[in-house]
Coordinates of all heavy atoms in Angstrom, one line a residue:
M1 N 49.1 63.6 -36.6 CA 48.9 62.3 -37.1 C 47.8 62.5 -38.1 O 46.8 63.2 -37.9 CB 48.5 61.4 -36.0 CG 49.5 60.9 -35.1 SD 49.7 59.2 -35.2 CE 51.3 59.0 -34.6
I2 N 47.9 61.9 -39.2 CA 46.9 61.8 -40.3 C 46.4 60.5 -40.5 O 47.0 59.5 -40.5 CB 47.6 62.3 -41.6 CG1 48.1 63.7 -41.4 CG2 46.6 62.2 -42.8 CD1 48.8 64.3 -42.6
R3 N 45.0 60.4 -40.6 CA 44.3 59.2 -40.9 C 44.6 58.7 -42.3 O 44.6 59.4 -43.3 CB 42.8 59.3 -40.7 CG 42.1 58.0 -41.0 CD 40.6 58.1 -41.2 NE 39.9 56.9 -41.4 CZ 39.9 56.2 -42.5 NH1 40.5 56.8 -43.6 NH2 39.3 55.0 -42.6
V4 N 45.1 57.5 -42.3 CA 45.5 56.9 -43.7 C 44.4 55.9 -44.2 O 44.0 56.0 -45.4 CB 46.8 56.2 -43.6 CG1 47.3 55.6 -44.9 CG2 47.9 57.2 -43.1
C5 N 44.0 55.1 -43.3 CA 42.9 54.0 -43.8 C 42.4 53.4 -42.5 O 42.9 53.6 -41.4 CB 43.7 53.0 -44.7 SG 44.9 52.1 -43.9
A6 N 41.4 52.5 -42.8 CA 40.9 51.6 -41.7 C 41.8 50.4 -41.6 O 42.4 49.9 -42.5 CB 39.5 51.2 -42.1
L7 N 42.0 50.0 -40.4 CA 42.8 48.8 -40.1 C 42.3 47.6 -41.0 O 43.1 46.8 -41.5 CB 42.8 48.5 -38.6 CG 43.6 47.3 -38.2 CD1 45.1 47.5 -38.5 CD2 43.4 47.0 -36.7
S8 N 41.0 47.5 -41.1 CA 40.4 46.4 -41.9 C 40.8 46.4 -43.4 O 40.7 45.4 -44.1 CB 38.9 46.4 -41.7 OG 38.4 47.6 -42.3
E9 N 41.3 47.6 -43.9 CA 41.7 47.6 -45.3 C 43.1 47.0 -45.5 O 43.5 46.8 -46.6 CB 41.7 49.1 -45.7 CG 40.4 49.8 -45.8 CD 40.6 51.2 -46.2 OE1 41.2 51.5 -47.3 OE2 40.1 52.1 -45.4
L10 N 43.8 46.7 -44.4 CA 45.2 46.2 -44.6 C 45.2 44.7 -44.3 O 44.7 44.2 -43.3 CB 46.1 46.8 -43.5 CG 46.2 48.4 -43.5 CD1 47.1 48.8 -42.4 CD2 46.9 48.8 -44.9
D11 N 45.7 44.0 -45.4 CA 45.9 42.5 -45.2 C 47.1 42.2 -44.5 O 48.2 42.9 -44.6 CB 46.0 41.8 -46.6 CG 44.7 41.9 -47.4 OD1 43.6 42.0 -46.8 OD2 44.8 42.1 -48.7
D12 N 47.1 41.2 -43.7 CA 48.3 40.8 -42.8 C 49.4 40.5 -43.7 O 49.4 39.7 -44.7 CB 47.9 39.6 -42.0 CG 48.7 39.5 -40.7 OD1 48.9 40.6 -40.1 OD2 49.1 38.4 -40.3
R13 N 50.6 41.2 -43.4 CA 51.9 40.9 -44.1 C 51.9 41.2 -45.5 O 52.6 40.6 -46.3 CB 52.4 39.5 -43.7 CG 52.5 39.3 -42.2 CD 53.1 38.0 -41.9 NE 54.5 37.9 -42.2 CZ 55.5 38.4 -41.5 NH1 55.3 39.2 -40.4 NH2 56.8 38.2 -41.8
K14 N 51.0 42.1 -46.0 CA 51.0 42.5 -47.4 C 51.3 44.0 -47.5 O 50.5 44.8 -46.9 CB 49.6 42.2 -48.1 CG 49.6 42.5 -49.5 CD 48.2 42.2 -50.1 CE 48.3 42.6 -51.5 NZ 46.9 42.5 -52.1
P15 N 52.2 44.5 -48.2 CA 52.5 45.9 -48.3 C 51.3 46.6 -48.9 O 50.7 46.3 -49.8 CB 53.7 45.9 -49.3 CG 54.3 44.6 -49.2 CD 53.1 43.7 -49.0
F16 N 51.1 47.9 -48.3 CA 50.1 48.7 -48.8 C 50.7 50.1 -49.0 O 51.2 50.8 -48.1 CB 49.0 48.9 -47.6 CG 47.9 49.8 -47.9 CD1 46.7 49.3 -48.6 CD2 47.9 51.1 -47.5 CE1 45.7 50.2 -48.8 CE2 46.9 52.0 -47.7 CZ 45.7 51.5 -48.4
A17 N 50.8 50.6 -50.3 CA 51.4 51.8 -50.6 C 50.4 53.0 -50.4 O 49.2 52.9 -50.7 CB 51.8 51.8 -52.1
T18 N 50.9 54.1 -49.8 CA 50.0 55.3 -49.6 C 50.9 56.5 -49.6 O 52.2 56.4 -49.7 CB 49.2 55.1 -48.3 OG1 48.3 56.2 -48.2 CG2 50.2 55.1 -47.1
E19 N 50.3 57.6 -49.4 CA 51.1 58.9 -49.4 C 50.5 59.7 -48.2 O 49.3 59.8 -48.0 CB 50.9 59.7 -50.7 CG 52.0 60.7 -50.8 CD 51.9 61.3 -52.3 OE1 52.4 60.6 -53.2 OE2 51.4 62.5 -52.4
V20 N 51.4 60.2 -47.4 CA 51.1 61.0 -46.2 C 51.8 62.3 -46.3 O 53.1 62.3 -46.3 CB 51.4 60.3 -44.9 CG1 51.0 61.1 -43.7 CG2 50.7 58.9 -44.8
D21 N 51.1 63.4 -46.4 CA 51.8 64.8 -46.6 C 52.9 64.8 -47.6 O 54.0 65.2 -47.4 CB 52.4 65.2 -45.2 CG 51.3 65.8 -44.3 OD1 50.2 66.1 -44.8 OD2 51.6 66.0 -43.2
D22 N 52.5 64.2 -48.8 CA 53.4 64.1 -49.9 C 54.6 63.2 -49.7 O 55.7 63.3 -50.4 CB 53.9 65.5 -50.4 CG 52.7 66.4 -50.9 OD1 51.8 65.8 -51.5 OD2 52.7 67.6 -50.6
V23 N 54.6 62.4 -48.7 CA 55.7 61.4 -48.4 C 55.2 60.0 -48.9 O 54.1 59.6 -48.3 CB 56.1 61.4 -47.0 CG1 57.2 60.3 -46.7 CG2 56.6 62.8 -46.6
A24 N 55.9 59.3 -49.6 CA 55.5 58.0 -50.0 C 55.8 57.0 -48.8 O 56.9 57.0 -48.3 CB 56.4 57.5 -51.2
V25 N 54.7 56.2 -48.4 CA 54.8 55.4 -47.2 C 54.3 54.0 -47.6 O 53.3 53.9 -48.4 CB 53.9 56.0 -46.1 CG1 53.9 55.1 -44.9 CG2 54.5 57.4 -45.7
V26 N 54.9 53.0 -47.0 CA 54.4 51.7 -47.2 C 54.0 51.2 -45.7 O 54.7 51.4 -44.8 CB 55.4 50.7 -47.8 CG1 56.8 50.6 -47.0 CG2 54.8 49.3 -47.9
L27 N 52.7 50.7 -45.7 CA 52.2 50.2 -44.4 C 52.3 48.7 -44.5 O 52.0 48.1 -45.5 CB 50.8 50.6 -44.2 CG 50.5 52.1 -44.0 CD1 48.9 52.3 -43.9 CD2 51.2 52.8 -43.0
V28 N 52.7 48.1 -43.4 CA 52.6 46.6 -43.3 C 51.9 46.3 -42.0 O 52.3 46.6 -40.9 CB 54.1 46.0 -43.3 CG1 54.0 44.5 -43.1 CG2 54.8 46.4 -44.6
R29 N 50.9 45.5 -42.1 CA 50.1 45.0 -40.9 C 50.7 43.7 -40.5 O 50.9 42.8 -41.4 CB 48.6 44.8 -41.2 CG 47.8 44.4 -40.1 CD 46.4 44.2 -40.4 NE 45.7 43.8 -39.2 CZ 44.3 43.8 -39.2 NH1 43.6 44.1 -40.2 NH2 43.8 43.3 -38.1
N30 N 50.9 43.5 -39.2 CA 51.4 42.3 -38.6 C 50.5 42.1 -37.4 O 50.8 42.6 -36.3 CB 52.8 42.5 -38.2 CG 53.5 41.2 -37.9 OD1 52.8 40.0 -38.0 ND2 54.7 41.2 -37.5
G31 N 49.4 41.3 -37.6 CA 48.4 41.1 -36.6 C 47.7 42.4 -36.3 O 47.2 43.0 -37.3
E32 N 47.7 42.9 -35.1 CA 47.1 44.1 -34.7 C 48.0 45.3 -34.7 O 47.7 46.4 -34.4 CB 46.5 44.0 -33.3 CG 45.3 43.0 -33.3 CD 44.2 43.3 -34.3 OE1 43.7 44.5 -34.3 OE2 43.9 42.4 -35.1
R33 N 49.3 45.1 -35.1 CA 50.3 46.1 -35.3 C 50.4 46.5 -36.7 O 50.3 45.7 -37.6 CB 51.7 45.6 -34.8 CG 51.7 45.5 -33.2 CD 53.1 45.7 -32.6 NE 53.7 46.8 -32.9 CZ 55.0 47.1 -32.9 NH1 55.8 46.1 -32.8 NH2 55.5 48.3 -33.1
V34 N 50.7 47.8 -36.9 CA 51.0 48.3 -38.1 C 52.3 49.1 -38.2 O 52.5 49.8 -37.3 CB 49.8 49.3 -38.6 CG1 50.2 49.9 -40.0 CG2 48.5 48.5 -38.8
H35 N 53.1 48.9 -39.2 CA 54.4 49.5 -39.4 C 54.3 50.4 -40.5 O 53.7 50.1 -41.6 CB 55.5 48.5 -39.6 CG 55.6 47.4 -38.5 ND1 56.3 47.6 -37.4 CD2 55.1 46.2 -38.5 CE1 56.2 46.5 -36.6 NE2 55.5 45.7 -37.3
A36 N 54.9 51.6 -40.4 CA 55.0 52.6 -41.6 C 56.4 52.9 -41.9 O 57.2 53.3 -41.0 CB 54.3 53.8 -41.1
L37 N 56.8 52.6 -43.1 CA 58.2 52.9 -43.5 C 58.2 53.8 -44.8 O 57.2 53.8 -45.5 CB 59.0 51.6 -43.8 CG 59.2 50.6 -42.7 CD1 58.1 49.6 -42.7 CD2 60.5 49.9 -42.9
A38 N 59.3 54.4 -45.0 CA 59.5 55.2 -46.3 C 59.4 54.2 -47.4 O 59.9 53.0 -47.3 CB 60.8 55.9 -46.3
D39 N 58.6 54.5 -48.4 CA 58.4 53.5 -49.5 C 59.3 53.7 -50.6 O 59.1 54.0 -51.8 CB 56.9 53.7 -50.1 CG 56.6 52.6 -51.0 OD1 57.2 51.6 -51.0 OD2 55.5 52.7 -51.8
E40 N 60.6 53.7 -50.2 CA 61.8 53.8 -51.1 C 63.0 53.1 -50.6 O 63.5 53.4 -49.6 CB 62.0 55.2 -51.5 CG 63.1 55.4 -52.6 CD 63.4 56.8 -53.0 OE1 62.6 57.4 -53.8 OE2 64.3 57.4 -52.4
C41 N 63.5 52.1 -51.4 CA 64.7 51.4 -51.0 C 65.8 52.3 -51.0 O 66.0 53.1 -51.8 CB 64.9 50.3 -52.0 SG 66.5 49.4 -51.7
S42 N 66.6 52.3 -49.8 CA 67.7 53.1 -49.7 C 68.9 52.8 -50.7 O 69.8 53.6 -50.9 CB 68.3 53.1 -48.3 OG 68.8 51.8 -47.9
H43 N 68.8 51.7 -51.3 CA 69.9 51.2 -52.2 C 69.5 51.7 -53.7 O 70.4 52.2 -54.3 CB 70.1 49.8 -52.2 CG 71.0 49.2 -53.3 ND1 70.4 48.5 -54.3 CD2 72.3 49.3 -53.5 CE1 71.4 48.2 -55.1 NE2 72.5 48.6 -54.6
A44 N 68.4 51.4 -54.1 CA 68.0 51.5 -55.5 C 66.9 52.5 -55.8 O 66.6 52.7 -57.0 CB 67.7 50.2 -56.2
A45 N 66.4 53.2 -54.8 CA 65.3 54.1 -55.0 C 64.1 53.6 -55.8 O 63.5 54.2 -56.6 CB 65.9 55.4 -55.6
V46 N 63.7 52.4 -55.4 CA 62.5 51.8 -56.0 C 61.5 51.6 -54.9 O 61.9 51.5 -53.7 CB 62.8 50.5 -56.8 CG1 63.6 50.7 -58.0 CG2 63.4 49.4 -55.9
S47 N 60.3 51.3 -55.2 CA 59.2 51.3 -54.3 C 59.2 49.9 -53.4 O 59.2 48.8 -54.0 CB 57.9 51.3 -54.9 OG 56.8 51.2 -54.0
L48 N 59.4 50.1 -52.2 CA 59.3 48.9 -51.3 C 58.0 48.1 -51.3 O 57.9 46.9 -51.0 CB 59.8 49.2 -49.9 CG 61.3 49.5 -49.6 CD1 61.5 49.9 -48.2 CD2 62.2 48.3 -50.1
S49 N 56.9 48.9 -51.5 CA 55.6 48.3 -51.5 C 55.3 47.3 -52.6 O 54.4 46.6 -52.5 CB 54.6 49.5 -51.5 OG 54.7 50.2 -52.7
E50 N 56.2 47.3 -53.5 CA 56.1 46.3 -54.6 C 56.8 44.9 -54.2 O 56.8 44.0 -55.0 CB 56.6 46.8 -55.9 CG 55.9 48.0 -56.4 CD 56.4 48.5 -57.7 OE1 57.0 47.7 -58.5 OE2 56.2 49.7 -58.0
G51 N 57.4 44.9 -53.0 CA 58.1 43.8 -52.6 C 57.3 42.9 -51.7 O 56.1 43.0 -51.6
E52 N 57.9 41.9 -51.2 CA 57.2 41.0 -50.2 C 57.6 41.2 -48.8 O 58.7 41.6 -48.5 CB 57.5 39.6 -50.7 CG 56.9 39.2 -52.0 CD 57.1 37.8 -52.5 OE1 57.5 37.0 -51.6 OE2 56.9 37.5 -53.7
V53 N 56.7 40.7 -47.9 CA 57.1 40.7 -46.5 C 57.4 39.3 -46.0 O 56.6 38.4 -46.3 CB 55.9 41.3 -45.7 CG1 56.2 41.3 -44.2 CG2 55.6 42.7 -46.2
S54 N 58.5 39.2 -45.3 CA 58.9 37.9 -44.7 C 59.0 38.1 -43.2 O 58.9 39.2 -42.7 CB 60.2 37.4 -45.3 OG 61.3 38.2 -45.0
R55 N 59.5 37.0 -42.5 CA 59.8 37.2 -41.1 C 60.9 38.2 -40.9 O 61.0 38.8 -39.8 CB 60.1 35.8 -40.4 CG 58.9 35.0 -40.3 CD 59.2 33.7 -39.4 NE 59.7 32.7 -40.4 CZ 60.9 32.1 -40.1 NH1 61.5 32.3 -39.0 NH2 61.3 31.2 -41.0
K56 N 61.8 38.3 -41.8 CA 63.0 39.3 -41.7 C 62.6 40.7 -41.9 O 63.3 41.6 -41.5 CB 64.0 38.9 -42.6 CG 64.6 37.5 -42.3 CD 65.9 37.1 -43.1 CE 66.1 37.9 -44.4 NZ 67.3 37.5 -45.2
G57 N 61.5 41.0 -42.6 CA 61.1 42.4 -42.9 C 60.5 42.5 -44.3 O 59.9 41.5 -44.8
I58 N 60.6 43.7 -44.9 CA 60.0 43.9 -46.2 C 61.3 43.9 -47.1 O 62.2 44.5 -47.0 CB 59.3 45.2 -46.3 CG1 58.6 45.4 -47.7 CG2 60.1 46.5 -46.0 CD1 57.5 46.4 -47.7
E59 N 61.1 43.1 -48.2 CA 62.2 42.9 -49.2 C 62.0 43.7 -50.5 O 60.9 43.7 -51.0 CB 62.3 41.4 -49.5 CG 63.4 41.0 -50.4 CD 63.4 39.6 -50.7 OE1 63.3 38.8 -49.7 OE2 63.6 39.2 -51.8
C60 N 63.0 44.4 -50.9 CA 63.0 45.2 -52.1 C 63.0 44.1 -53.3 O 63.8 43.2 -53.3 CB 64.3 46.0 -52.2 SG 64.4 46.9 -53.7
W61 N 62.1 44.4 -54.2 CA 61.9 43.5 -55.3 C 63.1 43.5 -56.3 O 63.2 42.5 -57.0 CB 60.6 43.7 -56.0 CG 60.5 45.1 -56.6 CD1 60.1 46.3 -56.0 CD2 61.0 45.5 -57.8 NE1 60.2 47.4 -56.8 CE2 60.8 46.9 -58.0 CE3 61.5 44.8 -59.0 CZ2 61.2 47.6 -59.2 CZ3 61.8 45.6 -60.1 CH2 61.6 47.0 -60.2
L62 N 63.8 44.6 -56.4 CA 64.8 44.7 -57.4 C 66.1 44.0 -57.1 O 66.5 43.2 -57.9 CB 65.1 46.2 -57.6 CG 66.0 46.5 -58.8 CD1 65.4 46.0 -60.1 CD2 66.2 48.0 -58.9
H63 N 66.7 44.1 -55.9 CA 68.0 43.6 -55.6 C 67.9 42.7 -54.3 O 69.0 42.1 -53.9 CB 69.1 44.6 -55.3 CG 69.4 45.3 -56.6 ND1 69.2 46.7 -56.8 CD2 69.8 44.9 -57.8 CE1 69.6 47.1 -58.0 NE2 69.9 46.0 -58.6
G64 N 66.8 42.5 -53.7 CA 66.6 41.6 -52.6 C 67.0 42.2 -51.2 O 67.0 41.4 -50.2
S65 N 67.4 43.4 -51.1 CA 67.6 43.9 -49.7 C 66.4 43.8 -48.8 O 65.3 44.1 -49.3 CB 68.0 45.4 -49.8 OG 69.4 45.5 -50.4
C66 N 66.5 43.5 -47.6 CA 65.4 43.3 -46.7 C 65.5 44.3 -45.5 O 66.6 44.4 -45.0 CB 65.3 41.9 -46.2 SG 63.8 41.4 -45.4
F67 N 64.4 45.0 -45.2 CA 64.5 46.1 -44.2 C 63.6 45.7 -43.0 O 62.5 45.3 -43.2 CB 64.0 47.4 -44.8 CG 64.9 47.9 -45.9 CD1 64.7 47.5 -47.2 CD2 65.9 48.7 -45.6 CE1 65.5 47.9 -48.2 CE2 66.8 49.2 -46.6 CZ 66.6 48.8 -47.9
D68 N 64.2 45.8 -41.8 CA 63.5 45.4 -40.5 C 62.3 46.4 -40.4 O 62.4 47.6 -40.6 CB 64.4 45.6 -39.4 CG 63.8 45.1 -38.1 OD1 63.1 46.0 -37.5 OD2 64.1 44.1 -37.6
L69 N 61.1 45.9 -40.1 CA 59.8 46.6 -40.0 C 59.9 47.5 -38.7 O 59.3 48.6 -38.8 CB 58.7 45.8 -39.9 CG 58.4 44.9 -41.1 CD1 57.2 43.9 -40.8 CD2 58.1 45.7 -42.4
E70 N 60.7 47.2 -37.7 CA 60.7 48.0 -36.5 C 61.7 49.2 -36.6 O 61.5 50.2 -36.1 CB 61.2 47.1 -35.3 CG 60.2 46.0 -35.0 CD 59.0 46.4 -34.2 OE1 59.1 47.4 -33.5 OE2 58.0 45.7 -34.2
T71 N 62.9 48.9 -37.2 CA 64.0 49.8 -37.2 C 64.3 50.5 -38.6 O 65.0 51.5 -38.7 CB 65.3 49.2 -36.7 OG1 65.7 48.2 -37.7 CG2 65.1 48.5 -35.4
G72 N 63.9 49.8 -39.7 CA 64.1 50.3 -41.0 C 65.5 49.9 -41.5 O 65.9 50.2 -42.5
K73 N 66.3 49.2 -40.6 CA 67.6 48.9 -40.9 C 67.7 47.7 -41.9 O 66.9 46.8 -41.7 CB 68.5 48.5 -39.7 CG 68.7 49.7 -38.8 CD 69.4 49.4 -37.6 CE 69.6 50.6 -36.7 NZ 70.2 50.3 -35.4
P74 N 68.6 47.8 -42.9 CA 68.7 46.5 -43.8 C 69.4 45.4 -43.1 O 70.2 45.6 -42.3 CB 69.6 47.1 -44.9 CG 70.4 48.2 -44.3 CD 69.5 48.8 -43.2
N75 N 68.8 44.2 -43.3 CA 69.5 43.1 -42.8 C 70.0 42.2 -43.8 O 70.5 41.0 -43.5 CB 68.5 42.3 -41.8 CG 67.2 42.0 -42.4 OD1 67.1 41.6 -43.6 ND2 66.2 42.2 -41.6
S76 N 70.1 42.7 -45.1 CA 70.8 42.0 -46.1 C 71.3 43.0 -47.2 O 70.7 44.1 -47.3 CB 69.9 40.9 -46.7 OG 68.7 41.6 -47.4
L77 N 72.4 42.6 -47.9 CA 72.9 43.5 -48.9 C 72.1 43.4 -50.1 O 71.2 42.5 -50.3 CB 74.4 43.1 -49.1 CG 75.3 43.3 -48.0 CD1 76.7 42.6 -48.3 CD2 75.5 44.7 -47.6
P78 N 72.1 44.4 -51.0 CA 73.2 45.5 -51.2 C 72.9 46.7 -50.3 O 73.8 47.5 -50.2 CB 73.3 45.7 -52.6 CG 71.9 45.4 -53.1 CD 71.4 44.3 -52.3
A79 N 71.8 46.9 -49.8 CA 71.5 48.1 -49.0 C 72.3 48.1 -47.8 O 72.5 47.1 -47.1 CB 70.0 48.1 -48.7
T80 N 72.8 49.3 -47.4 CA 73.6 49.5 -46.2 C 72.9 50.6 -45.3 O 73.3 50.7 -44.1 CB 75.0 49.8 -46.5 OG1 75.1 50.9 -47.3 CG2 75.7 48.7 -47.2
E81 N 72.1 51.5 -45.9 CA 71.5 52.5 -45.1 C 70.1 52.2 -44.7 O 69.4 51.6 -45.6 CB 71.5 53.8 -45.9 CG 72.9 54.3 -46.3 CD 73.6 54.7 -44.9 OE1 73.0 55.4 -44.1 OE2 74.9 54.4 -44.9
P82 N 69.6 52.6 -43.6 CA 68.2 52.3 -43.2 C 67.2 53.2 -44.0 O 67.6 54.2 -44.5 CB 68.2 52.6 -41.7 CG 69.2 53.7 -41.5 CD 70.3 53.3 -42.5
V83 N 65.9 52.8 -43.9 CA 64.9 53.6 -44.4 C 64.1 54.2 -43.2 O 64.2 53.6 -42.2 CB 63.9 52.9 -45.3 CG1 64.6 52.4 -46.6 CG2 63.2 51.7 -44.7
D84 N 63.5 55.3 -43.5 CA 62.8 56.0 -42.3 C 61.6 55.1 -41.9 O 60.9 54.5 -42.6 CB 62.2 57.3 -42.6 CG 63.3 58.4 -42.7 OD1 64.4 58.2 -42.0 OD2 63.1 59.4 -43.4
V85 N 61.4 55.1 -40.5 CA 60.3 54.4 -39.9 C 59.4 55.5 -39.3 O 60.0 56.3 -38.5 CB 60.7 53.3 -39.0 CG1 59.5 52.7 -38.2 CG2 61.5 52.3 -39.6
Y86 N 58.1 55.5 -39.5 CA 57.3 56.6 -39.0 C 56.4 56.1 -37.9 O 56.0 54.9 -37.8 CB 56.4 57.1 -40.1 CG 57.2 57.6 -41.2 CD1 57.2 57.0 -42.5 CD2 58.1 58.7 -41.2 CE1 57.9 57.4 -43.5 CE2 58.9 59.1 -42.2 CZ 58.8 58.5 -43.5 OH 59.5 58.9 -44.5
A87 N 56.0 57.1 -37.1 CA 55.1 56.8 -35.9 C 53.7 56.4 -36.4 O 53.2 57.0 -37.4 CB 55.0 58.1 -35.0
V88 N 53.1 55.4 -35.8 CA 51.8 54.8 -36.2 C 50.9 54.8 -34.9 O 51.4 54.4 -33.9 CB 51.8 53.5 -36.9 CG1 50.5 52.9 -37.1 CG2 52.7 53.5 -38.0
D89 N 49.7 55.1 -35.1 CA 48.7 55.0 -34.0 C 47.4 54.4 -34.6 O 47.0 54.8 -35.7 CB 48.4 56.4 -33.3 CG 47.6 56.3 -32.1 OD1 47.6 55.2 -31.5 OD2 47.0 57.3 -31.7
I90 N 46.8 53.4 -33.8 CA 45.6 52.9 -34.2 C 44.5 53.3 -33.3 O 44.7 53.0 -32.1 CB 45.7 51.3 -34.4 CG1 46.7 50.9 -35.4 CG2 44.3 50.8 -34.8 CD1 47.1 49.5 -35.4
R91 N 43.5 54.0 -33.8 CA 42.5 54.5 -32.9 C 41.1 54.2 -33.5 O 40.9 54.5 -34.7 CB 42.6 56.0 -32.8 CG 43.7 56.6 -32.0 CD 43.7 58.0 -31.9 NE 44.7 58.5 -32.9 CZ 44.7 59.7 -33.3 NH1 43.9 60.7 -32.8 NH2 45.6 60.1 -34.2
D92 N 40.3 53.6 -32.7 CA 38.8 53.2 -33.2 C 38.9 52.6 -34.5 O 38.0 52.9 -35.4 CB 38.0 54.6 -33.2 CG 37.9 55.2 -31.9 OD1 37.8 54.5 -30.8 OD2 38.0 56.4 -31.8
G93 N 39.9 51.7 -34.7 CA 39.9 50.9 -36.0 C 40.4 51.6 -37.2 O 40.4 51.1 -38.3
D94 N 41.0 52.8 -37.0 CA 41.7 53.6 -38.0 C 43.2 53.7 -37.8 O 43.6 53.7 -36.6 CB 41.1 55.0 -38.2 CG 39.6 55.0 -38.6 OD1 39.3 54.1 -39.5 OD2 38.9 55.9 -38.2
V95 N 43.9 53.7 -38.9 CA 45.4 53.8 -38.9 C 45.8 55.3 -39.1 O 45.4 55.9 -40.2 CB 46.0 52.9 -39.9 CG1 47.6 53.0 -39.9 CG2 45.6 51.4 -39.6
F96 N 46.6 55.8 -38.2 CA 47.1 57.2 -38.3 C 48.6 57.1 -38.4 O 49.2 56.3 -37.7 CB 46.6 58.0 -37.1 CG 45.2 58.3 -37.0 CD1 44.4 57.3 -36.5 CD2 44.7 59.5 -37.4 CE1 43.0 57.5 -36.4 CE2 43.4 59.7 -37.3 CZ 42.4 58.8 -36.8
V97 N 49.2 58.0 -39.2 CA 50.7 58.0 -39.4 C 51.1 59.4 -39.3 O 50.5 60.4 -39.8 CB 51.0 57.5 -40.8 CG1 52.6 57.5 -41.0 CG2 50.6 55.9 -41.0
D98 N 52.3 59.6 -38.7 CA 52.9 60.9 -38.6 C 54.3 60.8 -39.2 O 55.2 60.2 -38.7 CB 53.0 61.3 -37.1 CG 53.5 62.8 -37.0 OD1 54.1 63.4 -37.9 OD2 53.4 63.3 -35.8
V99 N 54.4 61.4 -40.4 CA 55.7 61.4 -41.1 C 56.8 62.3 -40.6 O 57.9 62.3 -41.0 CB 55.5 61.5 -42.6 CG1 54.8 60.3 -43.2 CG2 54.9 62.8 -42.9
T100 N 56.3 63.1 -39.6 CA 57.3 64.1 -39.1 C 58.0 63.4 -37.9 O 59.0 64.1 -37.3 CB 56.6 65.4 -38.5 OG1 55.7 65.0 -37.5 CG2 55.9 66.0 -39.7
V101 N 57.6 62.3 -37.4 CA 58.2 61.5 -36.3 C 58.8 60.3 -36.8 O 58.0 59.4 -37.2 CB 57.2 61.2 -35.1 CG1 57.8 60.5 -34.1 CG2 56.6 62.6 -34.7
T102 N 60.1 60.2 -36.8 CA 60.7 58.9 -37.2 C 61.2 58.1 -35.9 O 61.6 58.8 -35.0 CB 61.9 59.1 -38.1 OG1 62.8 60.0 -37.5 CG2 61.5 59.7 -39.5
T103 N 61.0 56.9 -36.0 CA 61.4 56.0 -34.8 C 62.7 55.3 -34.9 O 63.0 54.5 -34.1 CB 60.3 55.1 -34.5 OG1 60.1 54.2 -35.6 CG2 59.0 55.7 -34.2
N104 N 63.5 55.7 -35.9 CA 64.9 55.0 -36.0 C 65.9 56.0 -35.8 O 65.8 57.2 -35.8 CB 65.0 54.3 -37.4 CG 64.8 55.2 -38.6 OD1 64.3 56.3 -38.5 ND2 65.1 54.6 -39.7

């Protein structure tokens, strides 16, 4: 696991773009939980971190596909393939991500 940032640096339900071991990752804080997903839409290969977060997940700004924060699965078209979801650990107020462990 690699330390990415302090939990306090993340705004609730606002995408945060980062890189972990040369992998583009988007973090989304939801209260005290943090989700880490591949920062690339599986449909159009654009950055998900430029989209918005809703109750349904993170929405791609280009074509509107929305990806579940827990599973990475799209819940709206045109995307049909999930994005990777990575393991997250919060320790002593810091956010750690492991891009070698996917949870979907």
